Amino acid sequence: KTSYLSLSFCMRLLLLSLCMLLSSSLLLRVTNSFSPTRATTRFFYFSQIRSNIINNMSNNNNNRILTIVTPETLSLEVKDPVNPQALEQAKAILAELRPSENGPVDASALQKVAARLGDIATEDAPLLISKETCRAAFDDLSEQDRTALVNIHNRIQTFAQAQRTSITDMEVNVPGGKAGHTVSPCTAAGCYAPGGRYPLPSSVLMTAITARAAGVDTVVLATPRPAPITLAAAHLAGADYLLCVGGAQAIATMAYGMDYSSVKIPKCDVIVGPGNQWVTAAKSIVQGYCGIDMLAGPSEVLVICDETASSKVVAADLIAQAEHDVVARAILVTTSQQLEQEVNTEVIEQLSKLPEPNQSTARAAMKQSFSVLCGTLDECVQISDTIAPEHLEIHTANAWKIGQQCRHYGGLFVGSGAAEVLGDYGAGPNHTLPTGGTGRYTGGLSVFDFLRIRTYLRMEDTEELSSKECQDMVQDTITMARLEGLEGHARAAEQRLRK
């Protein structure tokens, strides 16, 4: 089989090998004759030479689609997920929808905005889709489609219910009484499902099923121009209301509520689900008035590999992420130069066979995608933690051990069988995950987004209130209040002293 490496590329590989041998030899010498600090400096210098050669190889080879990036040039990239222009447009839409600053969305205003932005055909078209219509769409599915939808629903529900039972009410003894917390769901949840480039019934299931598993009373679903499969998913997930609007106008309606004919859409306590830049901008406006899950940016996957990984599988997973959106990002981090080259070749070959418009979308996404060559798997983990990817796949020997070393990510997929796409379509865990490095401090959508953990303090028994432990606590409170200059606090505590 003819090698895909050009002669010039082979020469560069040879040069790289010679430089690495030279750097190793010189490193041994400087270690013997210089301090550890100077030896480290010299090693970094030779490491930089290696990185520059790799970059030259990448830049001069026409058979590349994944740009090679050196570990030394990577840094944490946290971008504001809210587009400034989209934010201004979202503010204008929200102002147009609410005649009163503190009132609900006006239904007639929403119909005008929805028609203008293409959510509905005309201004007098309905904004709500009935439960009967959703049920009919479910019944009209083919046996294969209906079975798949039901199976996915059951797996998501099983996982979400297990999450819910993992946290319970609790109570402990404190001086003078009891303290504890209760776990209770919010009353109404708003669930957004995108409906732009592709219908996403999976987002309907991921959001609405999770809200139901948490125990939410009312689920409001919003999605623009819903396809029949989306209506079927809404039925299966148990949505109470289905708004056929999208963008900022959908977020506003779920946040502020709306009286529509004889139907009253409630104000939602929390709004969840991925969306476009206007959805994200609107969520940034309403957060505080209601809760939100996150401000999501472009989707991303990072795959850590060693020489044991399958280049065909890894390439397919990178492409699967890239076809999401032109601004999606697919990242390969590996210890194997040969595997990196094979994956790059596989991506080119597999992309050429992808249908449109998927192929064009994935090719555009590859412009901001890249690969990183590392010396060790520990370095691969460090690179991953720096990026904190939305999806993190581990394709190595001892994959679970490597996965446990990783600290920052949205969702973890361990082993060659744990495809990120299985997570997208309902293996169990939720596919709504933090992007843009925010996995450093938050996790993905779960039942916990719909739950409130509220604490209480009970001190009713007169005998316990007079105990030494309780009176010591009161005295500590008085002392701390006066240290902070809050005399009213101190005097309120003094009312609990027993003479």
Side-chain angles (χ1 to χ4, degrees):
K1 182 179 180 181
T2 303
S3 172
Y4 62 83
L5 289 174
S6 65
L7 177 60
S8 62
F9 190 70
C10 290
M11 293 298 292
R12 291 188 180 91
L13 285 176
L14 178 60
L15 179 59
L16 172 61
S17 300
L18 290 172
C19 285
M20 291 179 71
L21 288 171
L22 177 61
S23 68
S24 299
S25 174
L26 289 176
L27 176 58
L28 289 174
R29 294 182 184 180
V30 298
T31 305
N32 291 330
S33 57
F34 292 90
S35 69
T37 302
R38 294 182 66 183
T40 302
T41 303
R42 293 292 184 96
F43 178 73
F44 175 77
Y45 172 72
F46 292 118
S47 177
Q48 191 64 53
I49 291 177
R50 177 197 67 181
S51 300
N52 290 340
I53 293 174
I54 291 174
N55 273 341
N56 289 334
M57 290 162 52
S58 173
N59 293 334
N60 293 326
N61 191 338
N62 294 325
N63 295 322
R64 293 208 59 86
I65 193 167
L66 287 170
T67 302
I68 297 181
V69 176
T70 64
E72 295 83 6
T73 59
L74 275 177
S75 61
L76 178 63
E77 182 182 14
V78 180
K79 295 181 178 179
D80 188 345
V82 180
N83 180 289
Q85 183 178 1
L87 179 61
E88 293 305 312
Q89 293 168 338
K91 287 179 179 178
I93 290 172
L94 265 62
E96 184 177 354
L97 293 175
R98 299 176 76 197
S100 170
E101 185 176 341
N102 297 317
V105 164
D106 180 74
S108 60
L110 178 60
Q111 286 182 300
K112 292 178 182 178
V113 171
R116 185 174 75 235
L117 297 178
D119 290 341
I120 55 178
T122 62
E123 290 185 9
D124 57 355
L127 296 170
L128 283 174
I129 297 177
S130 69
K131 288 185 176 182
E132 292 74 21
T133 300
C134 293
R135 176 58 192 254
F138 177 79
D139 291 340
D140 288 343
L141 292 177
S142 68
E143 185 66 28
Q144 179 179 356
D145 291 350
R146 186 164 53 250
T147 298
L149 206 62
V150 170
N151 289 342
I152 291 169
H153 166 277
N154 293 342
R155 287 190 286 265
I156 296 170
Q157 185 180 63
T158 297
F159 189 85
Q161 288 175 341
Q163 283 187 318
R164 177 62 188 88
T165 58
S166 71
I167 184 168
T168 61
D169 296 353
M170 71 87 179
E171 187 174 79
V172 297
N173 294 324
V174 297
K178 305 281 187 181
H181 76 218
T182 60
V183 184
S184 59
C186 62
T187 302
C191 300
Y192 188 87
R197 185 175 282 106
Y198 310 107
L200 294 179
S202 58
S203 289
V204 173
L205 299 176
M206 290 286 182
T207 55
I209 292 172
T210 307
R212 284 294 188 211
V216 173
D217 293 335
T218 304
V219 174
V220 180
L221 176 67
T223 184
R225 304 174 299 281
I229 186 64
T230 305
L231 301 180
H235 162 73
L236 193 58
D240 295 292
Y241 303 100
L242 176 54
L243 288 162
C244 52
V245 296
Q249 56 274 23
I251 301 302
T253 306
M254 292 189 288
Y256 304 125
M258 178 180 69
D259 293 332
Y260 178 65
S261 185
S262 60
V263 178
K264 186 176 183 67
I265 305 297
K267 293 186 291 185
C268 294
D269 304 308
V270 61
I271 297 174
V272 303
N276 61 21
Q277 58 184 333
W278 293 278
V279 169
T280 301
K283 286 170 76 173
S284 76
I285 295 171
V286 304
Q287 67 174 332
Y289 184 88
C290 64
I292 65 168
D293 52 349
M294 66 190 77
L295 298 174
S299 192
E300 58 207 12
V301 67
L302 186 149
V303 186
I304 293 178
C305 302
D306 63 11
E307 68 281 356
T308 67
S310 163
S311 59
K312 291 182 181 293
V313 171
V314 173
D317 287 358
L318 295 176
I319 292 171
Q321 193 63 36
E323 75 172 343
H324 266 296
D325 198 286
V326 295
V327 292
R329 193 165 63 162
I331 303 166
L332 171 65
V333 182
T334 181
T335 56
S336 171
Q337 184 174 338
Q338 179 179 344
L339 178 74
E340 192 282 331
Q341 295 162 3
E342 292 172 353
V343 169
N344 181 77
T345 302
E346 276 293 334
V347 169
I348 294 172
E349 182 177 343
Q350 292 183 30
L351 266 180
S352 68
K353 300 174 183 177
L354 201 66
E356 293 291 356
N358 310 60
Q359 182 178 149
S360 295
T361 301
R363 286 188 182 281
M366 286 296 169
K367 293 179 180 178
Q368 61 265 1
S369 301
F370 57 90
S371 60
V372 186
L373 284 172
C374 298
T376 65
L377 284 172
D378 286 342
E379 189 177 23
C380 291
V381 171
Q382 292 173 5
I383 293 297
S384 177
D385 281 346
T386 297
I387 296 171
E390 176 188 13
H391 308 96
L392 172 58
E393 290 190 2
I394 311 293
H395 293 238
T396 66
N398 300 315
W400 180 241
K401 179 181 177 181
I402 300 301
Q404 288 180 308
Q405 294 174 14
C406 298
R407 301 180 64 189
H408 305 311
Y409 52 82
L412 181 63
F413 304 83
V414 181
S416 59
E420 182 270 323
V421 295
L422 298 180
D424 277 347
Y425 295 122
N430 208 284
H431 76 190
T432 305
L433 299 169
T435 63
T438 56
R440 292 176 299 112
Y441 61 83
T442 191
L445 180 67
S446 70
V447 294
F448 308 122
D449 288 281
F450 305 98
L451 296 175
R452 301 164 297 173
I453 301 177
R454 296 177 292 180
T455 60
Y456 63 83
L457 179 63
R458 294 174 52 204
M459 300 177 68
E460 303 171 296
D461 187 275
T462 303
E463 185 175 341
E464 288 188 12
L465 293 176
S466 300
S467 68
K468 182 181 184 303
E469 292 81 4
C470 182
Q471 290 299 294
D472 286 347
M473 182 178 67
V474 172
Q475 190 60 61
D476 291 342
T477 301
I478 295 168
T479 300
M480 184 57 68
R482 288 188 170 132
L483 286 172
E484 294 188 349
L486 297 173
E487 184 60 27
H489 283 59
R491 295 182 183 185
E494 285 178 334
Q495 293 299 315
R496 273 72 182 179
L497 287 172
R498 292 295 185 260
K499 306 299 184 182

